[in-house]
Every structure is written in C-alpha cells, then in structure tokens.
Amino acid sequence: MIDDNPMNLLREDLRDFAGYSSARSEKRSGRVWLNANEAAWPSVADGEGAVRRYPDPQPQRLRECLAELYGCAPEQLLAGRGSDEAIDLLVRGFCRPGGDSIVITPPTFGMYAVNARLHGTRIVEAPLRDSAEGFVCDFAAIAEAAEREAAKLVFLCSPGNPSGTLLPLDQIEALAQRLRGRAMVVVDEAYIEFADGDSAVSALARRRNIAVLRTLSKAHALAAARIGSVIADAGVIAALQRCQAPYPLPTPCVNLALRALAEVPRNTTKARIATAMSEREKLLQALRAMPGVRRVYPSQANFLLARFDDPQAAFDGLLDAGVVVRDFRHAPQLGDALRISLGTPEQNAAVIEVLNRVARASCGAAA
C-alpha cells in the first residue's frame, strides 16, 4: 500500500528541523517587552508607534480570515510575501540541492524555474500543447516526466499565466492520485477569482499531496502589500513555516489586508471581478475581429494572450500611446505574442482604439 503522507516527501534532513525561534514566536504575556532588542522609543516617523515591535510571524486573525476566504482550516494555511515566497519555500522544503527535480509546463509563470535554478534543482519540462481550444495540459506527459525524473514537485498554473487556461480539477486530482507518495502537485491559483471553476483547495481532503497557492495581489488589488498563501496538509504547513524567515509579514501590510477582507471591501471586489470578466469578453471579441491579430486565446484570468502578424508594431503603437503591455515573444511557443492585462473599461477601449489604428496604418502601408 502506498503511503500518502506528504511529510515523507520532505527533505529528510528537514523533517526534524526546528527552524529559528524568534522572540515573537515565543508566546509570552507581559507589560514591559524587553526580549527582542527593539528600540525603546518609536520612530519619529511613526507617530503611533505601530511598527516599533516585530510583527507576529503568522497573525492569527489574518490566518483565520484567509482560511475563511479560501475554504480551509487555519492550520492548513501559511501566509507569506506573495506566492513567490511560497514557491521558494516549497522548493527548499522538498528538493535537495543538486539531487531533486521539479516539473513545469511551459509557457508558464517564470518563478517556478527561477527558484529551482537558484536552489540547484533540476527543471523538467512537460510543455503545454497549443490546440484549437487554446493551450492544454498534457497530464499523461506530466505524470510520465515526474515518474521518470523522480520529481518532488509538479507546478501547475490554473488559470495559466500566460495561457489563461483553467485546468480541469478532476485531472489535477487524478495526477495527484497517480503521484501520491512520489511528488507534491502544486496548483498556482493566482487568478482563480476570475475563473468559472472550483479551487483545488476542495481536493485537499481527498489528495494530501496537493498544495495550492493563492494571493491577494490580483483580484483583491493588494499587489504591493505582498500577501500570498500556500494551502496544504497541516503537517506540511508546519514544516514550511519552520523554513520561513522569522518575520515575513509587515504589520502595515497585515492591517491593510484585514481591512480589505472586511465585508464591504470584499463585496466591492466581487463587483469589480464581475466587471473584469465582462470586459474580458468585450476585449476578446474586439481583438478577434481586428486585422493583424492572428489569434486571441480564451482566458479564465484577468488578461488575454494574443498573437499578431506584426507584434513589434502592436507593442510600439501601444507604448507610444502610453499603454504598457507584456511582451511574451521570449517565451516558448510564443514568438509573436503579447499579453494584455484587463484595465478599466476606459483603458480597455483605449487598447482597442490604438490597435485598430496600428492595423489601419499597416494596411495602408501594405497598399
């Protein structure tokens, strides 16, 4: 019988690793705090003295709010500095430098490979397939690559960045089932709020080797606050916390996140997500009708990936108009592609106007 305890996948040398015990992690009560070598007086720039003390490594209220938002137990969630820190912790926690590997599905988010390379971990690719329906994930190829290379982590981006593809939850679960006892399946859901589908968090009770990444950077408009989460088996979360820096969450960022997760701001966020999804469809149809646009991929995220006959002209035309989009011509399979994030209705209309102007100029030059 296969042991599905994900703790057995952790680096053996880290399974009993205690980590750093900070002054704030020691649960103490007192009136005069002299245990952390903090300044005796607040900074003159901090009139209320809100940041003189080191922050709680995992503020309980924030952890509870995020757990409620994502549908998990607080002990299944670790908050940190965006999804980037969670990716780094997973690679460090599960992969021996020079001895283990990860599987990625290019074209995909670049930080999986960056963190692996910085950690001395091999990168195995199982590319997405460009199909009539858009980029699709070859789950069989992923499983075979993970088994062949004895990978410890498989990174799936759903919805994909830059593909915009939402991965079928049943296939994610089937992959995790096949790789149980061998690898963790990490599902990056940075854009899931914009998708018509369920989060992989719902599968954690059935598949202990799934981990899910979430963030407040996108739908909740807190990119500069750097609040991300990894959700997984409680034992895995405890182990990752021991690998985390002592004070990952600045107090001002925590307070801002708590305000953003209150009822009224959350209702506003939901309304804005609905608007973004409506705008996505409008921009999709406008781009598909535009001369010079080879293809626009369907998207379940807050962006569209488009191929152009002349991507340089499109990029330059937008830039000349003050509109900055992401050039993806460096990425595998995307030598003619730009990624356009959704803006306000007015900003999206400006993108359409500029690209139509570029198209007319190109047609005029050709004539």
Side-chain angles (χ1 to χ4, degrees):
M1 183 177 178
I2 297 174
D3 186 349
D4 68 347
N5 185 352
M7 293 297 291
N8 294 332
L9 298 173
L10 280 168
R11 283 171 43 184
E12 189 173 354
D13 59 317
L14 294 182
R15 291 175 195 172
D16 60 354
F17 178 57
Y20 177 74
S21 179
S22 67
R24 200 61 72 236
S25 65
E26 300 170 355
K27 300 302 180 183
R28 298 283 188 270
S29 60
R31 186 175 56 85
V32 179
W33 291 80
L34 302 176
N35 67 331
N37 300 334
E38 297 155 330
W41 297 274
S43 166
V44 294
D46 176 26
E48 297 180 357
V51 297
R52 176 165 69 95
R53 300 292 186 191
Y54 285 110
D56 185 334
Q58 288 293 299
Q60 186 62 25
R61 188 174 164 219
L62 176 65
R63 210 172 187 182
E64 290 171 351
C65 285
L66 291 171
E68 185 272 328
L69 179 68
Y70 299 140
C72 65
E75 59 270 20
Q76 292 179 299
L77 181 144
L78 183 69
R81 291 163 290 191
S83 298
D84 296 335
E85 183 181 28
I87 295 165
D88 180 65
L89 288 172
L90 286 162
V91 174
R92 279 195 280 143
F94 285 91
C95 299
R96 298 165 298 160
D100 285 314
S101 64
I102 68 167
V103 176
I104 62 172
T105 60
T108 191
F109 184 44
M111 285 305 295
Y112 314 138
V114 167
N115 276 290
R117 183 172 179 181
L118 289 172
H119 191 65
T121 297
R122 287 184 300 115
I123 302 161
V124 180
E125 296 185 352
L128 299 177
R129 288 189 292 105
D130 194 357
S131 74
E133 293 76 33
F135 280 100
V136 296
C137 204
D138 189 336
F139 284 91
I142 292 169
E144 290 163 8
E147 291 168 345
R148 181 181 67 249
E149 302 294 336
K152 298 297 282 295
L153 298 171
V154 173
F155 283 99
L156 304 176
C157 197
S158 180
N161 176 16
S163 70
T165 302
L166 182 69
L167 303 182
L169 186 53
D170 60 343
Q171 293 192 48
I172 293 173
E173 284 200 58
L175 177 66
Q177 172 69 8
R178 178 168 170 176
L179 297 179
R180 68 194 189 284
R182 301 183 185 187
M184 292 289 295
V185 176
V186 184
V187 188
D188 186 345
E189 295 184 339
Y191 303 94
I192 194 71
E193 289 90 346
F194 300 97
D196 295 317
D198 294 328
S199 167
V201 171
S202 62
L204 292 181
R206 298 182 295 275
R207 303 286 179 257
R208 297 180 67 191
N209 61 325
I210 287 179
V212 180
L213 307 180
R214 299 293 296 263
T215 182
L216 299 183
S217 294
K218 311 298 182 183
H220 293 271
L222 295 181
R226 310 305 303 130
I227 303 289
S229 303
V230 54
I231 304 163
D233 178 88
V236 169
I237 292 300
L240 293 179
Q241 187 174 359
R242 295 194 293 270
C243 298
Q244 193 176 34
Y247 304 111
L249 299 168
T251 298
C253 295
V254 170
N255 291 338
L256 179 58
L258 288 172
R259 293 196 298 273
L261 295 176
E263 182 179 2
V264 172
R266 278 177 63 172
N267 288 338
T268 300
T269 295
K270 289 178 182 177
R272 289 175 175 173
I273 290 170
T275 298
M277 294 171 74
S278 173
E279 285 293 305
R280 182 177 66 200
E281 182 62 23
K282 291 178 185 177
L283 184 58
L284 175 71
Q285 297 306 325
L287 289 172
R288 283 181 170 173
M290 198 175 290
V293 177
R294 291 178 178 170
R295 185 175 184 186
V296 188
Y297 288 86
S299 174
Q300 291 282 299
N302 68 336
F303 56 80
L304 290 173
L305 181 69
R307 296 185 185 274
F308 293 83
D309 289 339
D310 190 342
Q312 189 65 54
F315 185 82
D316 290 343
L318 288 165
L319 198 58
D320 289 344
V323 179
V324 184
V325 298
R326 191 71 179 268
D327 189 346
F328 260 87
R329 286 176 288 173
H330 63 283
Q333 306 184 62
L334 297 177
D336 56 358
L338 305 178
R339 190 193 69 192
I340 304 172
S341 300
L342 296 173
T344 64
E346 294 75 19
Q347 291 167 342
N348 299 331
V351 167
I352 295 169
E353 180 184 353
V354 170
L355 289 178
N356 272 321
R357 188 163 64 242
V358 170
R360 289 194 298 268
S362 177
C363 289

